[in-house]
Amino acid sequence: MIVDCAHYRDGRRQHEGAMPLERAAARCTQGGFVWLGMFEPVPEELARVRECFGLHELAVEDATAFHLRPKAEQYEDGTELIILRTARYDDEREEIDTGEISVFLAENFVITVRQGIASELHGARGRLERRPELLQAGSASTLWAILDQVVDSYAPVVAELERDIEQIEATVFSGTVAPTERIYSLRREATDFYRAVHPLLAVVGRRLQAGRSPAGLLPYFRDVHDHLLLVNEEVAAQRDLLATVLEANIAVISVEQNKINLRQSATMERLTILASVFLPLSFVVGFFGQNFDWLVTHISSFAAFLSLTLAGLLLPCVLLYAWLRGRRRKEFPVRG
């Protein structure tokens, strides 16, 4: 739908409230420029806008698609299409909500098409209307206002990401295992955010080239570029830090697993010792618990009982010792 449509001339808005699309297109020939703002328009609305303002069909088609990276394209009629990615951090879900703004920029009109959340431009329009000296620079001033608002909205996202990363970092480097899924999720969010920020450097840098922007707006575009450079460096550092935290967390998990294995080995050792202590008694009970004639008739004294017991215990021990000694010689042969 059309959110707002205004004609600006001599640094001032020429009317109150929005105006019809056909009247706005006619105002483009009366000096100044027209700023048309749309939010998630349907194809029929975009078709009307294309007819009224003579937009290139490929540019309109680009405005209806959702892009992963910002970009800028120049068309033969002089119209420029700039696509921006917006961002807003949802602390409850620990995710970054993204949107998109497509800006059709010409000398006598500006058309903004917003998609998704975090793409509101009312603040940028109001701020620019309070700066008539910038509005007098022409339609390029609207691009500065939009870029400035979008880049400023990146700062809270960076701060929220930094806070979550510090929480995970403190957990991991204290020797405690952090949820690996959360680290992966944050790294994915940081990577997606980086795709929105880093390509925008080329888009803003293009405005600083000779002849691309009015001289009076160059300091303002440079200021946006400087802020964007800082955000880009911070997001890149956050991606690298999350990769390091992930590796550290995997190392902590390995250490914890080794501790569990050691505890299990110690438990098995104690159980083995306990079983070894009861093994001779189990043998004696099992042997003399056999109820057959020879065993009953030949154990007539304590000496016979003792001799059979010792023989039954020593014979397995001797055989085990012989087997272990032979195995050791095979594993470690004596070299002469």
Side-chain angles (χ1 to χ4, degrees), residues 71-148:
K71 67 173 185 175
E73 291 188 12
Q74 185 87 33
Y75 293 90
E76 296 178 356
D77 60 355
T79 304
E80 190 174 3
L81 173 63
I82 301 100
I83 294 178
L84 313 174
R85 292 282 307 279
T86 61
R88 183 182 65 190
Y89 194 79
D90 190 323
D91 188 58
E92 183 177 350
R93 294 184 292 113
E94 294 183 349
E95 293 180 359
I96 299 176
D97 297 324
T98 58
E100 184 173 294
I101 302 175
S102 301
V103 183
F104 297 90
L105 182 65
E107 185 178 354
N108 55 355
F109 67 82
V110 178
I111 302 173
T112 54
V113 179
R114 299 187 287 120
Q115 303 283 350
I117 59 178
S119 60
E120 190 272 331
L121 290 178
H122 180 73
R125 187 187 287 266
R127 180 183 179 188
L128 192 60
E129 289 179 352
R130 293 191 294 270
R131 303 287 300 274
E133 72 279 6
L134 295 180
L135 272 172
Q136 287 180 349
S139 59
S141 61
T142 62
L143 180 60
W144 164 78
I146 295 169
L147 285 170
D148 189 58

Side-chain angles (χ1 to χ4, degrees), residues 23 38 52 168 173 238 252 255 276 284 324 332:
R23 186 188 303 176
M38 309 181 74
C52 292
I168 293 180
F173 289 104
Q238 287 175 342
V252 172
V255 171
S276 300
V284 172
L324 291 174
F332 305 99

Side-chain angles (χ1 to χ4, degrees), residues 16-58:
E16 294 294 333
M19 60 179 165
L21 195 60
E22 289 75 12
R23 186 188 303 176
R27 290 285 186 98
C28 291
T29 61
Q30 300 178 10
F33 65 93
V34 171
W35 184 355
L36 169 64
M38 309 181 74
F39 177 70
E40 296 184 351
V42 296
E44 291 76 14
E45 287 179 318
L46 282 176
R48 286 183 56 206
V49 171
R50 178 193 167 193
E51 293 175 1
C52 292
F53 291 89
L55 301 177
H56 197 284
E57 59 177 343
L58 294 179

Side-chain angles (χ1 to χ4, degrees), residues 162 165 169 173 183 186-188 190-191 194 232-248:
E162 188 69 26
I165 292 172
E169 188 180 16
F173 289 104
I183 302 176
L186 279 177
R187 194 166 193 274
R188 184 180 63 251
T191 300
Y194 182 79
N232 180 71
E233 292 174 357
E234 291 179 345
V235 176
Q238 287 175 342
R239 289 177 64 206
D240 295 338
L241 180 58
L242 281 169
T244 303
V245 170
L246 181 60
E247 293 176 359

Side-chain angles (χ1 to χ4, degrees), residues 72-74 80 201-210 212-213:
E73 291 188 12
Q74 185 87 33
E80 190 174 3
L201 286 171
V203 175
V204 179
R206 187 177 181 181
R207 310 307 308 178
L208 300 178
Q209 297 175 3
R212 287 285 182 181
S213 302

